[in-house]
Each structure stands twice: as structure tokens, then as C-alpha cells.
Amino acid sequence: MGGKIRRPQREVDLIASHIRDVPNFPLPGIVFKDITPLLAQPRALREAINLMAEAAHGYEVDAVIAIESRGFIFGAPMARRLNLPLQLVRKPGKLPYKTAGVDYQLEYGTDRVEIHVDAVERGKNYMIVDDLLATGGTAEAAARLIEQQGGHVACLSFLIELGFLEGRHRLAGRPVHAVLEY
Ligand code: AMP
């Protein structure tokens, strides 16, 4: 079963060197982890995708599920690399076909994630992908959505985990992997 993945320090340092901290964005007090410098560095981006894809090893994974919108950037090349199908979890009203959705609580108000009703097959195993794990609200909603459709969450793979926000606890034992931890 998928245990802790050994992360090669040289590659991790290379990736970390292309993540830019932007203080007070989008709100005062938030340090935004800007991935756009990483996207502009082909070697660092390739290593990031490779390491994020390694999370699948040791699990039975039948498909990758990427969360809008920065999850798409990583999820698509990971699915290609792993030779797995790719499915999309999106914000409300974006998917054209019939959808299922899950509402979740934000600090103020609620949000919702949706998926096509034919995206998840009962009994199959899914790897959820996003760029960053903060409070875990989004990822937990995506996990519930997959489970509600009869799928199983094999693992979740993030580029960055903000450990101090303890999003991992909210994911209640579902295996979480992140390349960089802050
Ligand atoms: P959460 O639901 O709190 O785990 O938030 C996760 C989503 O919000 C991810 O899709 C991230 O892209 C985005 N996000 C939250 N906090 C940050 C941050 N400090 N820097 C960059 N993105 C963030």
C-alpha cells in the first residue's frame, strides 16, 4: 500500500525555488503561493509533474480527477504520464452535460463542486489532483462527490501542502501526498 514517498531533495529544491510567495493576495494576511514561475521553467515543471504522478504508485488507480482550475494544469500531464483517463471536477455551471454536485462550507457562505454523472464508475479507484492543499475544503468536497457517485478515493496528490492549516485532517484518513510542505 502506498506509504510515504521518498522525495529527491535536488528536484524538490528546484521546484521550490520557482514558487513565488505573494503576501496579502487575494486578501490581507494571506500568503499566496504563485505557481506561474514554475510553469515558465520546463525542467522544474516536468519534475513537479513526475513527483506528483509518483503518488499513484502503490495504489490501484483507475483514473485521475483534476480540480478546477490549477489542478487541470497538473492533472492532465499526470494522467498522460500514468496512461490513465482524466476526469474534471469543476465549479458550478461549467460542465456541459448532466452533473452531480456537492456543496461545501466556506468561512463565509458556501461553494459547490460538480462532475459529469458518467465520470465516476462504481467501485473504481480515483486519484484527486490539485495544486495546493489549504484548509482541505475543496479536496474534501471533491472526495465526497466521487464517493457519492460510488467511486473510491485511492489517494490525493498536491504540489503544495500548507501544513499549518491541517487540511489533511479534514480528509479523514484518505492518503494525502504533497511534493512541497510549508
Ligand atoms: P482549500 O479548499 O482551503 O484547501 O483551498 C484550496 C484551493 O484554494 C486550491 O485549489 C488552491 O488553488 C487555492 N488556495 C488556497 N490557499 C492558497 C494559497 N495560499 N496560495 C495559493 N492558492 C491557494
Side-chain angles (χ1 to χ4, degrees), residues 25 30-34 67-71 104 106 130-139 162 165 167 170:
F25 181 89
I30 306 273
V31 179
F32 193 85
K33 297 289 183 188
D34 178 14
I67 301 178
E68 183 169 2
S69 57
R70 275 165 296 191
Y104 64 102
L106 298 175
D130 203 356
D131 66 328
L132 185 140
L133 177 64
T135 66
T138 314
L162 301 182
L165 292 175
R170 195 149 167 187

mmCIF file with all atom_site columns, all heavy atoms in Angstrom, residues 25 30-34 67-71 104 106 130-139 162 165 167 170, ligand 1:
data_model
loop_
_atom_site.group_PDB
_atom_site.id
_atom_site.type_symbol
_atom_site.label_atom_id
_atom_site.label_alt_id
_atom_site.label_comp_id
_atom_site.label_asym_id
_atom_site.label_entity_id
_atom_site.label_seq_id
_atom_site.pdbx_PDB_ins_code
_atom_site.Cartn_x
_atom_site.Cartn_y
_atom_site.Cartn_z
_atom_site.occupancy
_atom_site.B_iso_or_equiv
_atom_site.pdbx_formal_charge
_atom_site.auth_seq_id
_atom_site.auth_comp_id
_atom_site.auth_asym_id
_atom_site.auth_atom_id
_atom_site.pdbx_PDB_model_num
ATOM   1   N N   . PHE A 1 25  ? -2.331  38.527 -0.864  1.00 0.00 ? 25  PHE A N   1
ATOM   2   C CA  . PHE A 1 25  ? -3.154  38.252 -2.044  1.00 0.00 ? 25  PHE A CA  1
ATOM   3   C C   . PHE A 1 25  ? -3.889  36.937 -1.824  1.00 0.00 ? 25  PHE A C   1
ATOM   4   O O   . PHE A 1 25  ? -3.261  35.962 -1.396  1.00 0.00 ? 25  PHE A O   1
ATOM   5   C CB  . PHE A 1 25  ? -2.294  38.134 -3.314  1.00 0.00 ? 25  PHE A CB  1
ATOM   6   C CG  . PHE A 1 25  ? -3.131  37.887 -4.539  1.00 0.00 ? 25  PHE A CG  1
ATOM   7   C CD1 . PHE A 1 25  ? -3.647  38.953 -5.278  1.00 0.00 ? 25  PHE A CD1 1
ATOM   8   C CD2 . PHE A 1 25  ? -3.444  36.585 -4.943  1.00 0.00 ? 25  PHE A CD2 1
ATOM   9   C CE1 . PHE A 1 25  ? -4.441  38.717 -6.393  1.00 0.00 ? 25  PHE A CE1 1
ATOM   10  C CE2 . PHE A 1 25  ? -4.251  36.356 -6.058  1.00 0.00 ? 25  PHE A CE2 1
ATOM   11  C CZ  . PHE A 1 25  ? -4.744  37.429 -6.789  1.00 0.00 ? 25  PHE A CZ  1
ATOM   12  N N   . ILE A 1 30  ? -3.058  36.767 3.760   1.00 0.00 ? 30  ILE A N   1
ATOM   13  C CA  . ILE A 1 30  ? -2.859  35.514 3.016   1.00 0.00 ? 30  ILE A CA  1
ATOM   14  C C   . ILE A 1 30  ? -1.545  35.608 2.244   1.00 0.00 ? 30  ILE A C   1
ATOM   15  O O   . ILE A 1 30  ? -1.279  36.618 1.591   1.00 0.00 ? 30  ILE A O   1
ATOM   16  C CB  . ILE A 1 30  ? -4.004  35.266 1.995   1.00 0.00 ? 30  ILE A CB  1
ATOM   17  C CG1 . ILE A 1 30  ? -5.367  35.326 2.671   1.00 0.00 ? 30  ILE A CG1 1
ATOM   18  C CG2 . ILE A 1 30  ? -3.776  33.981 1.210   1.00 0.00 ? 30  ILE A CG2 1
ATOM   19  C CD1 . ILE A 1 30  ? -5.884  34.054 3.269   1.00 0.00 ? 30  ILE A CD1 1
ATOM   20  N N   . VAL A 1 31  ? -0.714  34.580 2.356   1.00 0.00 ? 31  VAL A N   1
ATOM   21  C CA  . VAL A 1 31  ? 0.490   34.490 1.506   1.00 0.00 ? 31  VAL A CA  1
ATOM   22  C C   . VAL A 1 31  ? 0.147   33.539 0.364   1.00 0.00 ? 31  VAL A C   1
ATOM   23  O O   . VAL A 1 31  ? -0.001  32.327 0.572   1.00 0.00 ? 31  VAL A O   1
ATOM   24  C CB  . VAL A 1 31  ? 1.707   33.962 2.294   1.00 0.00 ? 31  VAL A CB  1
ATOM   25  C CG1 . VAL A 1 31  ? 2.918   33.862 1.367   1.00 0.00 ? 31  VAL A CG1 1
ATOM   26  C CG2 . VAL A 1 31  ? 2.006   34.856 3.484   1.00 0.00 ? 31  VAL A CG2 1
ATOM   27  N N   . PHE A 1 32  ? 0.006   34.082 -0.825  1.00 0.00 ? 32  PHE A N   1
ATOM   28  C CA  . PHE A 1 32  ? -0.407  33.290 -1.982  1.00 0.00 ? 32  PHE A CA  1
ATOM   29  C C   . PHE A 1 32  ? 0.800   32.588 -2.581  1.00 0.00 ? 32  PHE A C   1
ATOM   30  O O   . PHE A 1 32  ? 1.831   33.206 -2.838  1.00 0.00 ? 32  PHE A O   1
ATOM   31  C CB  . PHE A 1 32  ? -1.074  34.186 -3.031  1.00 0.00 ? 32  PHE A CB  1
ATOM   32  C CG  . PHE A 1 32  ? -1.797  33.420 -4.097  1.00 0.00 ? 32  PHE A CG  1
ATOM   33  C CD1 . PHE A 1 32  ? -3.104  33.007 -3.892  1.00 0.00 ? 32  PHE A CD1 1
ATOM   34  C CD2 . PHE A 1 32  ? -1.178  33.096 -5.292  1.00 0.00 ? 32  PHE A CD2 1
ATOM   35  C CE1 . PHE A 1 32  ? -3.783  32.280 -4.868  1.00 0.00 ? 32  PHE A CE1 1
ATOM   36  C CE2 . PHE A 1 32  ? -1.849  32.368 -6.276  1.00 0.00 ? 32  PHE A CE2 1
ATOM   37  C CZ  . PHE A 1 32  ? -3.152  31.964 -6.058  1.00 0.00 ? 32  PHE A CZ  1
ATOM   38  N N   . LYS A 1 33  ? 0.683   31.297 -2.802  1.00 0.00 ? 33  LYS A N   1
ATOM   39  C CA  . LYS A 1 33  ? 1.751   30.505 -3.430  1.00 0.00 ? 33  LYS A CA  1
ATOM   40  C C   . LYS A 1 33  ? 1.531   30.555 -4.940  1.00 0.00 ? 33  LYS A C   1
ATOM   41  O O   . LYS A 1 33  ? 0.653   29.864 -5.474  1.00 0.00 ? 33  LYS A O   1
ATOM   42  C CB  . LYS A 1 33  ? 1.708   29.060 -2.923  1.00 0.00 ? 33  LYS A CB  1
ATOM   43  C CG  . LYS A 1 33  ? 1.967   28.924 -1.433  1.00 0.00 ? 33  LYS A CG  1
ATOM   44  C CD  . LYS A 1 33  ? 3.422   29.212 -1.119  1.00 0.00 ? 33  LYS A CD  1
ATOM   45  C CE  . LYS A 1 33  ? 3.723   29.020 0.357   1.00 0.00 ? 33  LYS A CE  1
ATOM   46  N NZ  . LYS A 1 33  ? 5.075   29.469 0.696   1.00 0.00 ? 33  LYS A NZ  1
ATOM   47  N N   . ASP A 1 34  ? 2.324   31.367 -5.612  1.00 0.00 ? 34  ASP A N   1
ATOM   48  C CA  . ASP A 1 34  ? 2.176   31.609 -7.052  1.00 0.00 ? 34  ASP A CA  1
ATOM   49  C C   . ASP A 1 34  ? 3.004   30.570 -7.820  1.00 0.00 ? 34  ASP A C   1
ATOM   50  O O   . ASP A 1 34  ? 4.237   30.533 -7.711  1.00 0.00 ? 34  ASP A O   1
ATOM   51  C CB  . ASP A 1 34  ? 2.662   33.039 -7.346  1.00 0.00 ? 34  ASP A CB  1
ATOM   52  C CG  . ASP A 1 34  ? 2.591   33.392 -8.810  1.00 0.00 ? 34  ASP A CG  1
ATOM   53  O OD1 . ASP A 1 34  ? 1.926   32.669 -9.585  1.00 0.00 ? 34  ASP A OD1 1
ATOM   54  O OD2 . ASP A 1 34  ? 3.223   34.413 -9.182  1.00 0.00 ? 34  ASP A OD2 1
ATOM   55  N N   . ILE A 1 67  ? -9.013  18.989 -10.145 1.00 0.00 ? 67  ILE A N   1
ATOM   56  C CA  . ILE A 1 67  ? -9.916  20.026 -9.632  1.00 0.00 ? 67  ILE A CA  1
ATOM   57  C C   . ILE A 1 67  ? -9.602  21.357 -10.319 1.00 0.00 ? 67  ILE A C   1
ATOM   58  O O   . ILE A 1 67  ? -8.443  21.786 -10.377 1.00 0.00 ? 67  ILE A O   1
ATOM   59  C CB  . ILE A 1 67  ? -9.761  20.185 -8.099  1.00 0.00 ? 67  ILE A CB  1
ATOM   60  C CG1 . ILE A 1 67  ? -10.070 18.854 -7.383  1.00 0.00 ? 67  ILE A CG1 1
ATOM   61  C CG2 . ILE A 1 67  ? -10.652 21.301 -7.581  1.00 0.00 ? 67  ILE A CG2 1
ATOM   62  C CD1 . ILE A 1 67  ? -9.899  18.901 -5.866  1.00 0.00 ? 67  ILE A CD1 1
ATOM   63  N N   . GLU A 1 68  ? -10.673 22.027 -10.793 1.00 0.00 ? 68  GLU A N   1
ATOM   64  C CA  . GLU A 1 68  ? -10.551 23.345 -11.420 1.00 0.00 ? 68  GLU A CA  1
ATOM   65  C C   . GLU A 1 68  ? -9.893  24.342 -10.463 1.00 0.00 ? 68  GLU A C   1
ATOM   66  O O   . GLU A 1 68  ? -10.221 24.337 -9.285  1.00 0.00 ? 68  GLU A O   1
ATOM   67  C CB  . GLU A 1 68  ? -11.952 23.841 -11.787 1.00 0.00 ? 68  GLU A CB  1
ATOM   68  C CG  . GLU A 1 68  ? -11.931 25.168 -12.508 1.00 0.00 ? 68  GLU A CG  1
ATOM   69  C CD  . GLU A 1 68  ? -13.316 25.520 -13.097 1.00 0.00 ? 68  GLU A CD  1
ATOM   70  O OE1 . GLU A 1 68  ? -14.283 24.763 -12.905 1.00 0.00 ? 68  GLU A OE1 1
ATOM   71  O OE2 . GLU A 1 68  ? -13.373 26.560 -13.745 1.00 0.00 ? 68  GLU A OE2 1
ATOM   72  N N   . SER A 1 69  ? -9.075  25.272 -10.943 1.00 0.00 ? 69  SER A N   1
ATOM   73  C CA  . SER A 1 69  ? -8.578  25.295 -12.302 1.00 0.00 ? 69  SER A CA  1
ATOM   74  C C   . SER A 1 69  ? -7.095  24.934 -12.363 1.00 0.00 ? 69  SER A C   1
ATOM   75  O O   . SER A 1 69  ? -6.640  24.372 -13.352 1.00 0.00 ? 69  SER A O   1
ATOM   76  C CB  . SER A 1 69  ? -8.781  26.684 -12.907 1.00 0.00 ? 69  SER A CB  1
ATOM   77  O OG  . SER A 1 69  ? -8.140  27.655 -12.096 1.00 0.00 ? 69  SER A OG  1
ATOM   78  N N   . ARG A 1 70  ? -6.359  25.229 -11.285 1.00 0.00 ? 70  ARG A N   1
ATOM   79  C CA  . ARG A 1 70  ? -4.921  24.915 -11.370 1.00 0.00 ? 70  ARG A CA  1
ATOM   80  C C   . ARG A 1 70  ? -4.655  23.425 -11.274 1.00 0.00 ? 70  ARG A C   1
ATOM   81  O O   . ARG A 1 70  ? -3.593  22.954 -11.707 1.00 0.00 ? 70  ARG A O   1
ATOM   82  C CB  . ARG A 1 70  ? -4.137  25.704 -10.320 1.00 0.00 ? 70  ARG A CB  1
ATOM   83  C CG  . ARG A 1 70  ? -3.787  27.094 -10.831 1.00 0.00 ? 70  ARG A CG  1
ATOM   84  C CD  . ARG A 1 70  ? -3.367  27.973 -9.720  1.00 0.00 ? 70  ARG A CD  1
ATOM   85  N NE  . ARG A 1 70  ? -4.500  28.143 -8.833  1.00 0.00 ? 70  ARG A NE  1
ATOM   86  C CZ  . ARG A 1 70  ? -4.586  29.014 -7.857  1.00 0.00 ? 70  ARG A CZ  1
ATOM   87  N NH1 . ARG A 1 70  ? -3.578  29.782 -7.608  1.00 0.00 ? 70  ARG A NH1 1
ATOM   88  N NH2 . ARG A 1 70  ? -5.660  29.118 -7.105  1.00 0.00 ? 70  ARG A NH2 1
ATOM   89  N N   . GLY A 1 71  ? -5.629  22.681 -10.753 1.00 0.00 ? 71  GLY A N   1
ATOM   90  C CA  . GLY A 1 71  ? -5.491  21.223 -10.751 1.00 0.00 ? 71  GLY A CA  1
ATOM   91  C C   . GLY A 1 71  ? -5.430  20.662 -12.165 1.00 0.00 ? 71  GLY A C   1
ATOM   92  O O   . GLY A 1 71  ? -4.797  19.623 -12.409 1.00 0.00 ? 71  GLY A O   1
ATOM   93  N N   . TYR A 1 104 ? -20.263 22.745 -0.189  1.00 0.00 ? 104 TYR A N   1
ATOM   94  C CA  . TYR A 1 104 ? -19.392 22.722 0.995   1.00 0.00 ? 104 TYR A CA  1
ATOM   95  C C   . TYR A 1 104 ? -19.259 24.119 1.581   1.00 0.00 ? 104 TYR A C   1
ATOM   96  O O   . TYR A 1 104 ? -19.464 25.126 0.907   1.00 0.00 ? 104 TYR A O   1
ATOM   97  C CB  . TYR A 1 104 ? -18.039 22.078 0.686   1.00 0.00 ? 104 TYR A CB  1
ATOM   98  C CG  . TYR A 1 104 ? -17.185 22.801 -0.326  1.00 0.00 ? 104 TYR A CG  1
ATOM   99  C CD1 . TYR A 1 104 ? -16.113 23.598 0.083   1.00 0.00 ? 104 TYR A CD1 1
ATOM   100 C CD2 . TYR A 1 104 ? -17.417 22.675 -1.689  1.00 0.00 ? 104 TYR A CD2 1
ATOM   101 C CE1 . TYR A 1 104 ? -15.307 24.252 -0.845  1.00 0.00 ? 104 TYR A CE1 1
ATOM   102 C CE2 . TYR A 1 104 ? -16.628 23.318 -2.616  1.00 0.00 ? 104 TYR A CE2 1
ATOM   103 C CZ  . TYR A 1 104 ? -15.578 24.106 -2.179  1.00 0.00 ? 104 TYR A CZ  1
ATOM   104 O OH  . TYR A 1 104 ? -14.794 24.753 -3.102  1.00 0.00 ? 104 TYR A OH  1
ATOM   105 N N   . LEU A 1 106 ? -17.694 27.376 3.243   1.00 0.00 ? 106 LEU A N   1
ATOM   106 C CA  . LEU A 1 106 ? -16.518 28.260 3.282   1.00 0.00 ? 106 LEU A CA  1
ATOM   107 C C   . LEU A 1 106 ? -16.574 29.038 4.591   1.00 0.00 ? 106 LEU A C   1
ATOM   108 O O   . LEU A 1 106 ? -17.558 28.943 5.321   1.00 0.00 ? 106 LEU A O   1
ATOM   109 C CB  . LEU A 1 106 ? -16.550 29.246 2.111   1.00 0.00 ? 106 LEU A CB  1
ATOM   110 C CG  . LEU A 1 106 ? -16.504 28.669 0.714   1.00 0.00 ? 106 LEU A CG  1
ATOM   111 C CD1 . LEU A 1 106 ? -16.675 29.779 -0.311  1.00 0.00 ? 106 LEU A CD1 1
ATOM   112 C CD2 . LEU A 1 106 ? -15.190 27.939 0.482   1.00 0.00 ? 106 LEU A CD2 1
ATOM   113 N N   . ASP A 1 130 ? -4.802  18.444 -7.199  1.00 0.00 ? 130 ASP A N   1
ATOM   114 C CA  . ASP A 1 130 ? -4.939  19.906 -7.201  1.00 0.00 ? 130 ASP A CA  1
ATOM   115 C C   . ASP A 1 130 ? -3.554  20.500 -6.952  1.00 0.00 ? 130 ASP A C   1
ATOM   116 O O   . ASP A 1 130 ? -2.624  19.785 -6.558  1.00 0.00 ? 130 ASP A O   1
ATOM   117 C CB  . ASP A 1 130 ? -5.944  20.368 -6.147  1.00 0.00 ? 130 ASP A CB  1
ATOM   118 C CG  . ASP A 1 130 ? -6.539  21.742 -6.481  1.00 0.00 ? 130 ASP A CG  1
ATOM   119 O OD1 . ASP A 1 130 ? -6.116  22.372 -7.477  1.00 0.00 ? 130 ASP A OD1 1
ATOM   120 O OD2 . ASP A 1 130 ? -7.426  22.200 -5.746  1.00 0.00 ? 130 ASP A OD2 1
ATOM   121 N N   . ASP A 1 131 ? -3.444  21.811 -7.175  1.00 0.00 ? 131 ASP A N   1
ATOM   122 C CA  . ASP A 1 131 ? -2.123  22.430 -6.996  1.00 0.00 ? 131 ASP A CA  1
ATOM   123 C C   . ASP A 1 131 ? -1.766  22.552 -5.526  1.00 0.00 ? 131 ASP A C   1
ATOM   124 O O   . ASP A 1 131 ? -0.614  22.363 -5.146  1.00 0.00 ? 131 ASP A O   1
ATOM   125 C CB  . ASP A 1 131 ? -2.043  23.804 -7.696  1.00 0.00 ? 131 ASP A CB  1
ATOM   126 C CG  . ASP A 1 131 ? -2.952  24.856 -7.078  1.00 0.00 ? 131 ASP A CG  1
ATOM   127 O OD1 . ASP A 1 131 ? -4.041  24.491 -6.568  1.00 0.00 ? 131 ASP A OD1 1
ATOM   128 O OD2 . ASP A 1 131 ? -2.592  26.043 -7.097  1.00 0.00 ? 131 ASP A OD2 1
ATOM   129 N N   . LEU A 1 132 ? -2.779  22.845 -4.675  1.00 0.00 ? 132 LEU A N   1
ATOM   130 C CA  . LEU A 1 132 ? -2.452  23.231 -3.304  1.00 0.00 ? 132 LEU A CA  1
ATOM   131 C C   . LEU A 1 132 ? -3.530  22.752 -2.332  1.00 0.00 ? 132 LEU A C   1
ATOM   132 O O   . LEU A 1 132 ? -4.718  22.894 -2.613  1.00 0.00 ? 132 LEU A O   1
ATOM   133 C CB  . LEU A 1 132 ? -2.325  24.756 -3.259  1.00 0.00 ? 132 LEU A CB  1
ATOM   134 C CG  . LEU A 1 132 ? -1.862  25.387 -1.955  1.00 0.00 ? 132 LEU A CG  1
ATOM   135 C CD1 . LEU A 1 132 ? -0.885  26.541 -2.244  1.00 0.00 ? 132 LEU A CD1 1
ATOM   136 C CD2 . LEU A 1 132 ? -3.037  25.886 -1.129  1.00 0.00 ? 132 LEU A CD2 1
ATOM   137 N N   . LEU A 1 133 ? -3.084  22.196 -1.202  1.00 0.00 ? 133 LEU A N   1
ATOM   138 C CA  . LEU A 1 133 ? -3.989  21.815 -0.113  1.00 0.00 ? 133 LEU A CA  1
ATOM   139 C C   . LEU A 1 133 ? -3.881  22.884 0.967   1.00 0.00 ? 133 LEU A C   1
ATOM   140 O O   . LEU A 1 133 ? -2.828  23.040 1.587   1.00 0.00 ? 133 LEU A O   1
ATOM   141 C CB  . LEU A 1 133 ? -3.589  20.447 0.445   1.00 0.00 ? 133 LEU A CB  1
ATOM   142 C CG  . LEU A 1 133 ? -4.394  19.944 1.648   1.00 0.00 ? 133 LEU A CG  1
ATOM   143 C CD1 . LEU A 1 133 ? -5.859  19.711 1.290   1.00 0.00 ? 133 LEU A CD1 1
ATOM   144 C CD2 . LEU A 1 133 ? -3.774  18.670 2.220   1.00 0.00 ? 133 LEU A CD2 1
ATOM   145 N N   . ALA A 1 134 ? -4.985  23.623 1.172   1.00 0.00 ? 134 ALA A N   1
ATOM   146 C CA  . ALA A 1 134 ? -5.003  24.645 2.235   1.00 0.00 ? 134 ALA A CA  1
ATOM   147 C C   . ALA A 1 134 ? -5.863  24.105 3.375   1.00 0.00 ? 134 ALA A C   1
ATOM   148 O O   . ALA A 1 134 ? -5.426  23.217 4.098   1.00 0.00 ? 134 ALA A O   1
ATOM   149 C CB  . ALA A 1 134 ? -5.492  25.972 1.665   1.00 0.00 ? 134 ALA A CB  1
ATOM   150 N N   . THR A 1 135 ? -7.104  24.564 3.507   1.00 0.00 ? 135 THR A N   1
ATOM   151 C CA  . THR A 1 135 ? -7.966  24.046 4.587   1.00 0.00 ? 135 THR A CA  1
ATOM   152 C C   . THR A 1 135 ? -8.507  22.653 4.269   1.00 0.00 ? 135 THR A C   1
ATOM   153 O O   . THR A 1 135 ? -9.041  21.983 5.156   1.00 0.00 ? 135 THR A O   1
ATOM   154 C CB  . THR A 1 135 ? -9.182  24.967 4.811   1.00 0.00 ? 135 THR A CB  1
ATOM   155 O OG1 . THR A 1 135 ? -10.005 24.925 3.639   1.00 0.00 ? 135 THR A OG1 1
ATOM   156 C CG2 . THR A 1 135 ? -8.755  26.395 5.088   1.00 0.00 ? 135 THR A CG2 1
ATOM   157 N N   . GLY A 1 136 ? -8.426  22.258 3.006   1.00 0.00 ? 136 GLY A N   1
ATOM   158 C CA  . GLY A 1 136 ? -8.920  20.942 2.609   1.00 0.00 ? 136 GLY A CA  1
ATOM   159 C C   . GLY A 1 136 ? -10.386 20.923 2.222   1.00 0.00 ? 136 GLY A C   1
ATOM   160 O O   . GLY A 1 136 ? -10.911 19.883 1.826   1.00 0.00 ? 136 GLY A O   1
ATOM   161 N N   . GLY A 1 137 ? -11.058 22.075 2.300   1.00 0.00 ? 137 GLY A N   1
ATOM   162 C CA  . GLY A 1 137 ? -12.493 22.126 1.989   1.00 0.00 ? 137 GLY A CA  1
ATOM   163 C C   . GLY A 1 137 ? -12.801 21.669 0.570   1.00 0.00 ? 137 GLY A C   1
ATOM   164 O O   . GLY A 1 137 ? -13.716 20.868 0.351   1.00 0.00 ? 137 GLY A O   1
ATOM   165 N N   . THR A 1 138 ? -12.023 22.172 -0.387  1.00 0.00 ? 138 THR A N   1
ATOM   166 C CA  . THR A 1 138 ? -12.273 21.842 -1.795  1.00 0.00 ? 138 THR A CA  1
ATOM   167 C C   . THR A 1 138 ? -12.007 20.362 -2.061  1.00 0.00 ? 138 THR A C   1
ATOM   168 O O   . THR A 1 138 ? -12.814 19.674 -2.695  1.00 0.00 ? 138 THR A O   1
ATOM   169 C CB  . THR A 1 138 ? -11.356 22.692 -2.704  1.00 0.00 ? 138 THR A CB  1
ATOM   170 O OG1 . THR A 1 138 ? -11.381 24.041 -2.264  1.00 0.00 ? 138 THR A OG1 1
ATOM   171 C CG2 . THR A 1 138 ? -11.768 22.599 -4.146  1.00 0.00 ? 138 THR A CG2 1
ATOM   172 N N   . ALA A 1 139 ? -10.868 19.883 -1.589  1.00 0.00 ? 139 ALA A N   1
ATOM   173 C CA  . ALA A 1 139 ? -10.482 18.489 -1.847  1.00 0.00 ? 139 ALA A CA  1
ATOM   174 C C   . ALA A 1 139 ? -11.448 17.529 -1.161  1.00 0.00 ? 139 ALA A C   1
ATOM   175 O O   . ALA A 1 139 ? -11.813 16.494 -1.721  1.00 0.00 ? 139 ALA A O   1
ATOM   176 C CB  . ALA A 1 139 ? -9.054  18.243 -1.361  1.00 0.00 ? 139 ALA A CB  1
ATOM   177 N N   . LEU A 1 162 ? -0.134  23.331 2.679   1.00 0.00 ? 162 LEU A N   1
ATOM   178 C CA  . LEU A 1 162 ? 0.068   24.298 3.766   1.00 0.00 ? 162 LEU A CA  1
ATOM   179 C C   . LEU A 1 162 ? -0.272  23.564 5.059   1.00 0.00 ? 162 LEU A C   1
ATOM   180 O O   . LEU A 1 162 ? -1.425  23.537 5.498   1.00 0.00 ? 162 LEU A O   1
ATOM   181 C CB  . LEU A 1 162 ? -0.816  25.537 3.561   1.00 0.00 ? 162 LEU A CB  1
ATOM   182 C CG  . LEU A 1 162 ? -0.596  26.308 2.250   1.00 0.00 ? 162 LEU A CG  1
ATOM   183 C CD1 . LEU A 1 162 ? -1.503  27.544 2.191   1.00 0.00 ? 162 LEU A CD1 1
ATOM   184 C CD2 . LEU A 1 162 ? 0.865   26.708 2.063   1.00 0.00 ? 162 LEU A CD2 1
ATOM   185 N N   . LEU A 1 165 ? -2.494  24.600 8.142   1.00 0.00 ? 165 LEU A N   1
ATOM   186 C CA  . LEU A 1 165 ? -3.960  24.696 8.031   1.00 0.00 ? 165 LEU A CA  1
ATOM   187 C C   . LEU A 1 165 ? -4.645  23.347 8.260   1.00 0.00 ? 165 LEU A C   1
ATOM   188 O O   . LEU A 1 165 ? -5.878  23.262 8.317   1.00 0.00 ? 165 LEU A O   1
ATOM   189 C CB  . LEU A 1 165 ? -4.355  25.266 6.661   1.00 0.00 ? 165 LEU A CB  1
ATOM   190 C CG  . LEU A 1 165 ? -3.981  26.734 6.445   1.00 0.00 ? 165 LEU A CG  1
ATOM   191 C CD1 . LEU A 1 165 ? -4.301  27.171 5.015   1.00 0.00 ? 165 LEU A CD1 1
ATOM   192 C CD2 . LEU A 1 165 ? -4.707  27.642 7.438   1.00 0.00 ? 165 LEU A CD2 1
ATOM   193 N N   . GLY A 1 167 ? -5.339  20.740 6.559   1.00 0.00 ? 167 GLY A N   1
ATOM   194 C CA  . GLY A 1 167 ? -6.320  20.226 5.594   1.00 0.00 ? 167 GLY A CA  1
ATOM   195 C C   . GLY A 1 167 ? -6.330  18.712 5.534   1.00 0.00 ? 167 GLY A C   1
ATOM   196 O O   . GLY A 1 167 ? -7.359  18.092 5.279   1.00 0.00 ? 167 GLY A O   1
ATOM   197 N N   . ARG A 1 170 ? -8.881  17.087 7.676   1.00 0.00 ? 170 ARG A N   1
ATOM   198 C CA  . ARG A 1 170 ? -10.236 17.161 7.122   1.00 0.00 ? 170 ARG A CA  1
ATOM   199 C C   . ARG A 1 170 ? -10.485 16.036 6.115   1.00 0.00 ? 170 ARG A C   1
ATOM   200 O O   . ARG A 1 170 ? -11.624 15.658 5.864   1.00 0.00 ? 170 ARG A O   1
ATOM   201 C CB  . ARG A 1 170 ? -10.354 18.516 6.424   1.00 0.00 ? 170 ARG A CB  1
ATOM   202 C CG  . ARG A 1 170 ? -11.753 18.886 6.116   1.00 0.00 ? 170 ARG A CG  1
ATOM   203 C CD  . ARG A 1 170 ? -11.871 20.389 6.177   1.00 0.00 ? 170 ARG A CD  1
ATOM   204 N NE  . ARG A 1 170 ? -13.110 20.828 5.592   1.00 0.00 ? 170 ARG A NE  1
ATOM   205 C CZ  . ARG A 1 170 ? -13.406 22.091 5.404   1.00 0.00 ? 170 ARG A CZ  1
ATOM   206 N NH1 . ARG A 1 170 ? -12.554 23.028 5.752   1.00 0.00 ? 170 ARG A NH1 1
ATOM   207 N NH2 . ARG A 1 170 ? -14.551 22.423 4.872   1.00 0.00 ? 170 ARG A NH2 1
HETATM 208 P P1  . AMP B 2 .   ? -8.814  24.833 0.429   1.00 0.00 ? 1   AMP B P1  1
HETATM 209 O O1  . AMP B 2 .   ? -10.196 24.411 -0.026  1.00 0.00 ? 1   AMP B O1  1
HETATM 210 O O2  . AMP B 2 .   ? -8.829  25.778 1.578   1.00 0.00 ? 1   AMP B O2  1
HETATM 211 O O3  . AMP B 2 .   ? -7.913  23.636 0.669   1.00 0.00 ? 1   AMP B O3  1
HETATM 212 O O4  . AMP B 2 .   ? -8.190  25.678 -0.758  1.00 0.00 ? 1   AMP B O4  1
HETATM 213 C C1  . AMP B 2 .   ? -7.680  25.043 -1.826  1.00 0.00 ? 1   AMP B C1  1
HETATM 214 C C2  . AMP B 2 .   ? -7.773  25.839 -3.108  1.00 0.00 ? 1   AMP B C2  1
HETATM 215 O O5  . AMP B 2 .   ? -7.549  27.224 -2.927  1.00 0.00 ? 1   AMP B O5  1
HETATM 216 C C3  . AMP B 2 .   ? -6.715  25.324 -4.041  1.00 0.00 ? 1   AMP B C3  1
HETATM 217 O O6  . AMP B 2 .   ? -7.365  24.987 -5.245  1.00 0.00 ? 1   AMP B O6  1
HETATM 218 C C4  . AMP B 2 .   ? -5.726  26.442 -4.187  1.00 0.00 ? 1   AMP B C4  1
HETATM 219 O O7  . AMP B 2 .   ? -5.521  26.671 -5.557  1.00 0.00 ? 1   AMP B O7  1
HETATM 220 C C5  . AMP B 2 .   ? -6.355  27.667 -3.538  1.00 0.00 ? 1   AMP B C5  1
HETATM 221 N N1  . AMP B 2 .   ? -5.523  28.270 -2.462  1.00 0.00 ? 1   AMP B N1  1
HETATM 222 C C6  . AMP B 2 .   ? -5.844  28.345 -1.144  1.00 0.00 ? 1   AMP B C6  1
HETATM 223 N N2  . AMP B 2 .   ? -4.900  28.963 -0.426  1.00 0.00 ? 1   AMP B N2  1
HETATM 224 C C7  . AMP B 2 .   ? -3.915  29.304 -1.296  1.00 0.00 ? 1   AMP B C7  1
HETATM 225 C C8  . AMP B 2 .   ? -2.639  29.946 -1.176  1.00 0.00 ? 1   AMP B C8  1
HETATM 226 N N3  . AMP B 2 .   ? -2.160  30.397 -0.002  1.00 0.00 ? 1   AMP B N3  1
HETATM 227 N N4  . AMP B 2 .   ? -1.887  30.088 -2.297  1.00 0.00 ? 1   AMP B N4  1
HETATM 228 C C9  . AMP B 2 .   ? -2.345  29.643 -3.486  1.00 0.00 ? 1   AMP B C9  1
HETATM 229 N N5  . AMP B 2 .   ? -3.528  29.033 -3.664  1.00 0.00 ? 1   AMP B N5  1
HETATM 230 C C10 . AMP B 2 .   ? -4.321  28.856 -2.590  1.00 0.00 ? 1   AMP B C10 1
#
